[in-house]
Amino acid sequence: MFEKETVESTRPKSLPFSEEVLERILKQSKNGMPEISRIESLRAENRPLQRTDFYTNEEAYSADLILLENRAAIAGFQNQVPSPGDHLICKIRDRDLLILKDEDNILRAYYNSCMHRGTRLVSERREKPLKKVVCPYHSWTYSLDGKLLTTDCKVPERGLQEVAIRSFAGILFVGLQRNALEHLEPVFEELKRFAFDSYVPYEIKKTEGNYNWKVGVEIFLESYHISTVHKNSVALVIPKNASVFDPIGEHSRVLIPNRTFAETSAPTRKDLIISYFLFPSTILVIFRDHFAMIHFQPISKERTLCTQAVLIPQKAKTERMKRHWDYNAEFFFRTISEDLILAEEIQAGLRREGFIYPSSFEPGIFHFHDCIQNFFSKHTDVGKFHRS
């Protein structure tokens, strides 16, 4: 999918899935439909009714923010901070973060706030590497490892408030709450098989749309819409709506065969679109020689920022390679735009009282809802809207 020509690479092309999973994919590629889950709770006939205000209610949105606060978010990309002093500023909902490499080349993330009076430390990215972090208000000064260097200040703490950060597959993940990043480990373990150690973004795109963030996520948890929404793009290389879905703890995986999957006895990455959902709001889509990221961040209950990126094994060094990646990036972003236009149409239709009825061809949506419900069942002091 999305490739115009083959790019030779030493990256693994084999599929890290069992024979049983490959047989399931083959079956669905032949009948052209999403697999109905073997997990009974992920079948439509066993589901509670889903209210439309799950996507429109202010109380539900307030609860969503608590969930998002307790899970990882995307801050940027590794190649944006390659050397000591290199830095970027990002906004995670209503918080500013300062991401940098310190003098020892250690990746660090801080709240972009002086401990003195809370002033924003760095208001825009500077081209030159930082030597120190200096507050623009009273010149309180910090080293790149966060230590307060101004000696005439009698304060109980001696440095910037740090935020957990981890680079994986060229993407910077941050956790605003303790242990937030630990929840990603189950899906990271599987993703390690793809050797994404040095990937860099080729192109990044950010769009805002009038839809609830959960509407955006759910579009990428099922393939049931491909032959309708993408009939002039992705559907040309997919056997109708074929896919198989598997949970990975609170995360999940959707495998979508290309038409070539059923034609080979030993399928590889070129025969399959591999999509991983990192709960609660990030999707990684793996293709033959590159992968893409889609990340949703709510702005309000019915407005969402979507960050999309195409990541490649190494920087394009020739015009031929640039043409190749330009083609792939254009195809990817065009396909995503078809989904995001649909997201706004869905949100418009949800502004009615009543229920929606996802089908058994969409087990990923049911699993997503269950994981949200499970989060709030463990946080009994919040999220009453989401608890049965």
Side-chain angles (χ1 to χ4, degrees), residues 293-306:
M293 183 204 79
I294 308 158
H295 178 70
F296 293 97
Q297 184 175 163
I299 299 170
S300 67
K301 66 183 173 70
E302 294 192 50
R303 189 160 182 82
T304 296
L305 170 66
C306 179

Side-chain angles (χ1 to χ4, degrees), residues 34 61 67 85 88 95 251 259 312 342 377:
Y61 176 67
L67 164 63
L88 65 91
R95 256 73 64 82
H251 315 289
R259 293 187 187 279
I312 61 177
L342 182 65
S377 69

Side-chain angles (χ1 to χ4, degrees), residues 12 29 60 182 186 211 217 243 263-264 274 311 352-353 374 387:
S29 71
E182 294 178 9
Y211 56 90
V217 166
S243 68
E263 300 169 359
T264 177
I274 306 166
L311 294 98
R352 60 170 173 83
E353 294 184 3
N374 289 341
R387 292 197 302 275

Side-chain angles (χ1 to χ4, degrees), residues 11-266:
R11 305 280 171 176
K13 295 295 189 295
S14 59
L15 297 173
F17 307 120
S18 68
E19 286 298 321
E20 184 266 341
V21 170
L22 296 178
E23 284 295 324
R24 288 166 54 203
I25 300 169
L26 179 60
K27 178 181 177 181
Q28 301 313 126
S29 71
K30 290 179 177 179
N31 67 34
M33 293 300 289
E35 180 183 61
I36 295 176
S37 180
R38 302 176 186 184
I39 303 172
E40 291 192 4
S41 62
L42 300 184
R43 296 178 185 173
E45 63 269 23
N46 300 319
R47 302 297 305 182
L49 295 179
Q50 183 63 60
R51 292 156 48 186
T52 56
D53 52 3
F54 180 69
Y55 308 94
T56 60
N57 179 276
E58 195 66 50
E59 184 182 350
Y61 176 67
S62 296
D64 290 346
L65 294 180
I66 297 168
L67 164 63
L68 293 163
E69 180 83 5
N70 282 271
R71 293 296 184 269
I74 304 297
F77 299 90
Q78 173 69 37
N79 75 330
Q80 295 174 310
V81 285
S83 304
D86 291 333
H87 59 285
L88 65 91
I89 303 160
C90 75
K91 189 170 185 177
I92 307 296
R93 292 174 293 283
D94 61 348
R95 256 73 64 82
D96 269 17
L97 299 184
L98 173 62
I99 315 294
L100 55 76
K101 282 284 187 71
D102 72 10
E103 298 92 336
D104 296 320
N105 212 36
I106 296 173
L107 181 66
R108 295 187 181 274
Y110 306 106
Y111 284 108
N112 189 16
S113 171
C114 182
M115 59 186 300
H116 175 211
R117 298 273 294 278
T119 307
R120 183 161 55 180
L121 292 166
V122 183
S123 59
E124 60 183 16
R125 186 183 180 279
R126 301 166 190 171
E127 290 302 318
K128 292 183 179 180
L130 295 174
K131 300 297 183 182
K132 295 180 176 61
V133 179
V134 182
C135 179
Y137 195 2
H138 296 92
S139 295
W140 282 32
T141 302
Y142 305 85
S143 61
L144 297 186
D145 63 0
K147 293 184 176 65
L148 178 64
L149 300 177
T150 305
T151 57
D152 58 348
C153 308
K154 304 300 181 182
V155 293
E157 297 182 25
R158 299 299 301 171
L160 297 175
Q161 186 175 352
E162 200 157 359
V163 173
I165 186 168
R166 176 176 177 179
S167 176
F168 185 87
I171 302 170
L172 302 179
F173 294 86
V174 294
L176 301 184
Q177 299 297 323
R178 191 168 64 89
N179 302 328
L181 295 182
E182 294 178 9
H183 294 281
L184 290 171
E185 285 305 319
V187 73
F188 278 172
E189 279 301 310
E190 187 161 322
L191 284 165
K192 286 176 183 176
R193 305 172 188 176
F194 295 97
F196 288 145
D197 52 301
S198 62
Y199 274 60
V200 295
Y202 182 74
E203 189 172 348
I204 303 167
K205 185 175 182 179
K206 295 188 177 186
T207 58
E208 292 185 13
N210 296 317
Y211 56 90
N212 181 269
W213 71 277
K214 292 175 292 194
V215 167
V217 166
E218 289 173 7
I219 289 174
F220 297 94
L221 296 181
E222 49 94 358
S223 65
Y224 191 28
H225 68 283
I226 287 178
S227 62
T228 304
V229 177
H230 304 300
K231 59 184 177 182
N232 295 318
S233 55
V234 184
L236 300 177
V237 295
I238 302 297
K240 200 176 179 183
N241 297 319
S243 68
V244 300
F245 169 85
D246 284 300
I248 306 172
E250 63 184 13
H251 315 289
S252 59
R253 180 184 66 216
V254 180
L255 303 176
I256 303 174
N258 287 332
R259 293 187 187 279
T260 57
F261 190 92
E263 300 169 359
T264 177
S265 58

Side-chain angles (χ1 to χ4, degrees), residues 330-386:
E330 188 279 331
F331 201 124
F332 175 74
F333 292 132
R334 177 157 48 93
T335 303
I336 299 307
S337 70
E338 294 170 349
D339 288 310
L340 297 184
I341 290 171
L342 182 65
E344 295 200 347
E345 296 300 309
I346 294 171
Q347 190 68 34
L350 288 170
R351 297 188 191 107
R352 60 170 173 83
E353 294 184 3
F355 302 92
I356 58 170
Y357 304 91
S359 75
S360 292
F361 293 130
E362 300 155 294
I365 293 177
F366 294 143
H367 179 256
F368 177 49
H369 292 182
D370 287 347
C371 291
I372 293 174
Q373 192 83 12
N374 289 341
F375 173 85
F376 288 111
S377 69
K378 297 174 183 177
H379 295 73
T380 55
D381 55 328
V382 296
K384 293 179 181 179
F385 182 90
H386 286 300

